[in-house]
């Protein structure tokens, strides 16, 4: 592992206008600083792409915030089905959600991701009260932590004294209903936001139905001495059909449904089932999630301090039925997927002359909970699995298996009207405890039982504004990414069986970035970003039939690319936009791909991504027409290599305001259409995506 001197700079371009350098404490996420020569206001636009509320509220088949990110530069969605947003995955610059930092109002919401549920549970994040989504790519300041790909921050609306009530409901393809309600208000020192939604669909794959309810509530109170305290609650309850294997080689094949593989999330792998068949229609999962958060915020004349706490849980019960008899249950198990996992985050900032100082830290404890098998009919399982304890009985879990802690310090120094620099450093500690054999139902242990790491990571950057409307930013940083619980768990099992006996090290990434941006008299903007990542000990995994997941380190991975984004205002009402991503991911010394069949390329990694469209906005009518293109990808199917083709999607959205500022409120008729030309494509190998889909409905605000 490489060692580096622990000092650095991280460049930050801050959107500026006029002269001076002042601070205003009002507004979440907004900073205004005043000195004699410089005015620095708000969130730096060079580092944050903004997804506005209008785009977030475009109806989609998945009713997920994920869908609002599909057209952003460098974003790749990998979904088995858009209607199963619980299990869907996001990539940014080729990095998945384990290498991204996802926040809700600045608080990280990445989870443990045990039992295949993923590090971000998108289903609990309802979009009815989201004001914007901020995307910061690449080398981010030290306060954002050990992210490689960047930061996605979901910002909710701030209540105002005038009460706001909004409701919407849409209906469309595959008998899909999506209904949402939100109520916001501020009254004296008290402010609150309450919202809920209901989503249901029959889905388009076999046994692909989904029913979901979301409830959330936030309340805050302004206290004396410039203090504010608040608390929030998020809850989701979902029942999802487990996609049934439906191909011609199955004796239960149904040609009325698309050909697809079986959902691999959760329960028995297909090879466990007798005769290499998967479960049948009616198999489903009941999934319950809830999270509680609280905060205390203090404002000073030249700064602020804030403390946040978040705790989250997930319980899942899976029901599997026989393929030949949907009434015959063959397996039922209950799992505490996330068991009182928690995060504590503290931060403070202070203005000292031309220096904006920030310091803080995080503490996180997490692991996986119990699993109980309530019913098993062993006659439906292959005798080849020998019925280990965890298949028949479940296991105890290990909820406090991992601890993560960090401290950071950074200084944004506006040393000249044309120059700004940022000094940043972050110290991290990570520990994965020895795994108790009872935690997963096996009887053996291995020599390497713990992972204990600490790293001091610098950030370095410089921003130069050589002319009006132009900026150049260069950044460098080092980041570490630590094994998740699923990775640690499966690596430990691999070592116990001696199937694939390797070390498991944390990733260490050197990150380099150069960005150039130019604004042309408020009519056009172009941004070009080039990036390069040199990653040692890249953690990879592959699913092996009869074994499960195999986890290992690739000695070195390089990811490099260029992102080009541009917007152009043709008129006050008509705007065009485009973004293009050209990227390449190469690897060296992959112990799984010793024959180098991918020619040192990363799997499931498109080299080209393109999004473009036009937006029209008038007093009554809002419309968008856009295109998404994803290039071809190479995919591992066990040890076999499969090429996934490229695809182009044409999509549209229209909103018409037919009642405005009346005593009955504001009413809009809305319509959205996705994949209008009916392109055949897959985001995840084995799972075809739907053809043309349409949703139509009403949205009202009072």
């Amino acid at each position: 592992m490489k060692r580096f001197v622990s000092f650095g700079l991280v460049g930050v371009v801050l959107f500026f206008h006029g002269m001076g350098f002042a601070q205003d404490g009002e507004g979440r996420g907004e900073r205004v600083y005043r000195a004699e020569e410089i005015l620095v206001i708000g969130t730096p636009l060079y580092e944050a792409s903004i997804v506005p509320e209008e785009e977030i509220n475009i109806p989609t088949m998945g009713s997920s915030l994920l869908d609002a990110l599909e057209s952003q530069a460098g974003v790749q969605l990998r979904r088995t089905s858009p209607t199963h947003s619980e299990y869907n995955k996001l990539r940014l610059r080729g990095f998945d959600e384990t290498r991204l930092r996802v926040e809700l109002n600045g608080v990280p919401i990445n989870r443990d991701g045990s039992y295949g549920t993923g590090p971000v549970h998108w289903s609990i994040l309802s979009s009815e009260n989201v004001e914007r989504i901020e995307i910061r790519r690449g080398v981010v300041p030290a306060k954002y932590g050990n992210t490689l790909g960047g930061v996605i921050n979901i910002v909710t609306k701030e209540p105002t004294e005038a009460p706001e009530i909004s409701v919407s409901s849409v209906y469309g393809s595959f008998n899909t209903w999506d209904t949402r309600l939100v109520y916001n208000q501020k009254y004296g020192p008290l402010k609150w936001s309450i919202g809920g939604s209901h989503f249901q669909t029959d889905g388009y794959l076999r046994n692909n139905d989904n029913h979901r309810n979301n409830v959330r509530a936030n309340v805050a109170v302004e206290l004396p001495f410039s203090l504010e305290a608040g608390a929030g609650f998020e809850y989701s309850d979902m029942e999802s059909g487990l996609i049934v294997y439906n191909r011609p080689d199955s004796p239960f094949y149904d040609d009325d449904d698309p050909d697809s593989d079986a959902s691999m999330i959760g329960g028995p792998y297909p090879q466990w089932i007798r005769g290499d068949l998967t479960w049948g229609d009616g198999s489903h999962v009941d999934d319950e999630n809830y999270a509680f958060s609280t905060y205390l915020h203090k404002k000073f004349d030249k700064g602020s301090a804030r403390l946040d706490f978040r705790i989250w849980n997930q319980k899942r019960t899976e029901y599997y039925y026989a393929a030949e008899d949907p009434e015959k249950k063959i397996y039922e198990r209950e799992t505490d997927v996330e068991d009182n996992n928690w995060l504590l985050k503290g931060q403070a900032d202070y203005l000292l002359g031309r220096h904006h100082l920030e310091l803080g830290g995080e503490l996180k404890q997490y692991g996986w909970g119990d699993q109980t098998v309530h019913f098993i009919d062993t006659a439906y399982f292959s005798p080849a699995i020998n019925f280990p304890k965890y298949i028949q009985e479940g296991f105890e879990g290990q909820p406090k298996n991992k601890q993560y802690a960090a401290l950071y310090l950074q200084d944004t120094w506006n040393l000249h009207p044309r120059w700004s620099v940022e000094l940043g450093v972050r110290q991290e500690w990570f520990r994965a405890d020895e795994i108790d054999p009872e935690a997963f139902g096996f009887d053996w242990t291995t020599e390497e039982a713990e992972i204990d790491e600490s790293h001091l990571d610098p950030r370095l950057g410089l921003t130069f504004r050589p002319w009006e409307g132009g900026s150049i930013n260069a950044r460098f940083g080092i980041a570490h990414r630590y094994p998740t619980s699923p990775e640690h768990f499966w690596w430990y099992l691999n070592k116990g069986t001696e199937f694939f006996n390797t070390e498991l090290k944390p990733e260490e990434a050197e990150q380099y970035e150069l960005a150039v941006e130019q604004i042309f008299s408020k009519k056009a903007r172009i941004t070009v970003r080039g990036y390069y990542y040199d990653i040692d000990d890249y953690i990879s995994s592959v699913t092996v039939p009869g074994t499960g997941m195999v986890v290992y380190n690739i000695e070195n991975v390089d990811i490099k690319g260029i992102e080009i984004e541009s917007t152009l205002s043709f008129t006050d009402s008509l705007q065009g936009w485009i973004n293009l991503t050209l990227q390449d991911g190469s690897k060296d010394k992959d112990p799984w791909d010793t024959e180098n069949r991918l020619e040192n390329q990363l799997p499931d990694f498109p080299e080209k991504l393109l999004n473009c469209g036009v937006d029209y906005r008038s007093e009554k009518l809002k419309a968008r027409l856009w295109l998404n293109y994803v290039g071809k990808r190479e995919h591992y199917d066990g040890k076999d290599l499969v090429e996934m083709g490229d695809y182009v999607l044409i999509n549209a959205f229209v909103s018409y305001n037919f009642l405005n500022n009346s005593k009955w409120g504001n009413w809009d008729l809305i319509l959205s259409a996705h994949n209008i030309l009916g392109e055949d494509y897959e985001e995840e190998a084995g799972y075809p995506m739907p053809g043309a889909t349409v949703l139509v409905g009403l949205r009202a605000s009072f």
Side-chain angles (χ1 to χ4, degrees), residues 234 251 259 336 413 439 467 503 565 643 650 683:
E234 299 139 38
D259 292 3
D336 290 323
W413 180 18
W467 49 74
E503 291 186 85
E565 293 187 88
E643 181 176 294
I650 305 294
E683 294 177 357

Short mmCIF file of all heavy atoms in Angstrom, two decimals, residues 234 251 259 336 413 439 467 503 565 643 650 683:
data_model
loop_
_atom_site.label_atom_id
_atom_site.label_comp_id
_atom_site.label_asym_id
_atom_site.label_seq_id
_atom_site.Cartn_x
_atom_site.Cartn_y
_atom_site.Cartn_z
N GLU A 234 -38.95 8.18 8.52
CA GLU A 234 -39.26 7.67 7.18
C GLU A 234 -39.65 6.20 7.30
O GLU A 234 -39.02 5.45 8.05
CB GLU A 234 -38.04 7.79 6.26
CG GLU A 234 -37.55 9.21 6.05
CD GLU A 234 -36.04 9.27 6.06
OE1 GLU A 234 -35.41 8.34 5.53
OE2 GLU A 234 -35.49 10.23 6.61
N PRO A 251 -40.11 -26.28 -17.87
CA PRO A 251 -41.38 -26.98 -18.12
C PRO A 251 -42.60 -26.13 -17.76
O PRO A 251 -43.72 -26.48 -18.12
CB PRO A 251 -41.29 -28.23 -17.23
CG PRO A 251 -40.30 -27.88 -16.18
CD PRO A 251 -39.31 -26.95 -16.82
N ASP A 259 -39.22 -13.48 -21.78
CA ASP A 259 -38.18 -14.39 -21.30
C ASP A 259 -37.28 -13.64 -20.32
O ASP A 259 -36.84 -12.51 -20.60
CB ASP A 259 -37.34 -14.91 -22.46
CG ASP A 259 -38.12 -15.83 -23.38
OD1 ASP A 259 -39.34 -16.02 -23.15
OD2 ASP A 259 -37.52 -16.35 -24.34
N ASP A 336 -33.74 -9.90 9.67
CA ASP A 336 -33.48 -8.53 10.11
C ASP A 336 -32.31 -8.01 9.28
O ASP A 336 -31.14 -8.13 9.66
CB ASP A 336 -33.14 -8.48 11.60
CG ASP A 336 -34.33 -8.80 12.47
OD1 ASP A 336 -35.44 -8.38 12.10
OD2 ASP A 336 -34.17 -9.46 13.51
N TRP A 413 -9.67 28.77 0.93
CA TRP A 413 -8.92 30.02 1.03
C TRP A 413 -9.10 30.80 -0.27
O TRP A 413 -8.59 30.41 -1.32
CB TRP A 413 -7.45 29.70 1.29
CG TRP A 413 -6.58 30.91 1.42
CD1 TRP A 413 -6.94 32.19 1.69
CD2 TRP A 413 -5.15 30.92 1.29
NE1 TRP A 413 -5.86 33.01 1.74
CE2 TRP A 413 -4.73 32.26 1.50
CE3 TRP A 413 -4.20 29.95 1.05
CZ2 TRP A 413 -3.39 32.63 1.45
CZ3 TRP A 413 -2.88 30.32 1.00
CH2 TRP A 413 -2.48 31.64 1.20
N ALA A 439 -23.00 -16.75 13.48
CA ALA A 439 -23.63 -15.63 12.79
C ALA A 439 -24.09 -16.00 11.39
O ALA A 439 -24.86 -15.25 10.79
CB ALA A 439 -22.66 -14.44 12.71
N TRP A 467 -10.88 34.72 -16.88
CA TRP A 467 -11.65 35.72 -17.61
C TRP A 467 -13.10 35.65 -17.16
O TRP A 467 -13.51 34.73 -16.43
CB TRP A 467 -11.54 35.51 -19.13
CG TRP A 467 -11.81 34.08 -19.53
CD1 TRP A 467 -13.01 33.44 -19.56
CD2 TRP A 467 -10.83 33.10 -19.90
NE1 TRP A 467 -12.87 32.15 -19.94
CE2 TRP A 467 -11.53 31.90 -20.16
CE3 TRP A 467 -9.45 33.13 -20.06
CZ2 TRP A 467 -10.89 30.74 -20.56
CZ3 TRP A 467 -8.83 31.96 -20.46
CH2 TRP A 467 -9.53 30.80 -20.71
N GLU A 503 -6.57 -12.77 0.02
CA GLU A 503 -6.68 -11.69 1.00
C GLU A 503 -7.82 -10.75 0.61
O GLU A 503 -8.27 -10.75 -0.54
CB GLU A 503 -5.38 -10.89 1.06
CG GLU A 503 -4.20 -11.64 1.64
CD GLU A 503 -2.99 -10.74 1.79
OE1 GLU A 503 -2.89 -10.05 2.81
OE2 GLU A 503 -2.17 -10.72 0.85
N GLU A 565 -20.64 18.62 -20.80
CA GLU A 565 -22.02 19.05 -20.57
C GLU A 565 -22.23 20.44 -21.15
O GLU A 565 -21.35 21.31 -21.03
CB GLU A 565 -22.35 19.08 -19.07
CG GLU A 565 -22.36 17.75 -18.38
CD GLU A 565 -22.87 17.86 -16.96
OE1 GLU A 565 -24.09 17.77 -16.75
OE2 GLU A 565 -22.03 18.07 -16.05
N GLU A 643 -21.78 -10.47 -24.38
CA GLU A 643 -21.83 -9.06 -24.78
C GLU A 643 -23.27 -8.56 -24.71
O GLU A 643 -24.18 -9.16 -25.26
CB GLU A 643 -21.29 -8.86 -26.19
CG GLU A 643 -21.32 -7.38 -26.62
CD GLU A 643 -20.71 -7.14 -27.97
OE1 GLU A 643 -19.48 -7.34 -28.10
OE2 GLU A 643 -21.46 -6.78 -28.90
N ILE A 650 -36.01 6.94 -26.46
CA ILE A 650 -36.64 8.24 -26.70
C ILE A 650 -37.78 8.40 -25.69
O ILE A 650 -38.64 7.51 -25.56
CB ILE A 650 -37.19 8.36 -28.13
CG1 ILE A 650 -36.09 8.05 -29.15
CG2 ILE A 650 -37.79 9.73 -28.37
CD1 ILE A 650 -34.96 9.06 -29.17
N GLU A 683 -30.62 -3.57 -18.93
CA GLU A 683 -29.65 -2.87 -18.09
C GLU A 683 -28.85 -3.85 -17.25
O GLU A 683 -27.67 -3.65 -16.98
CB GLU A 683 -30.37 -1.87 -17.18
CG GLU A 683 -31.04 -0.74 -17.93
CD GLU A 683 -31.80 0.20 -17.02
OE1 GLU A 683 -31.87 -0.05 -15.80
OE2 GLU A 683 -32.32 1.21 -17.54
#
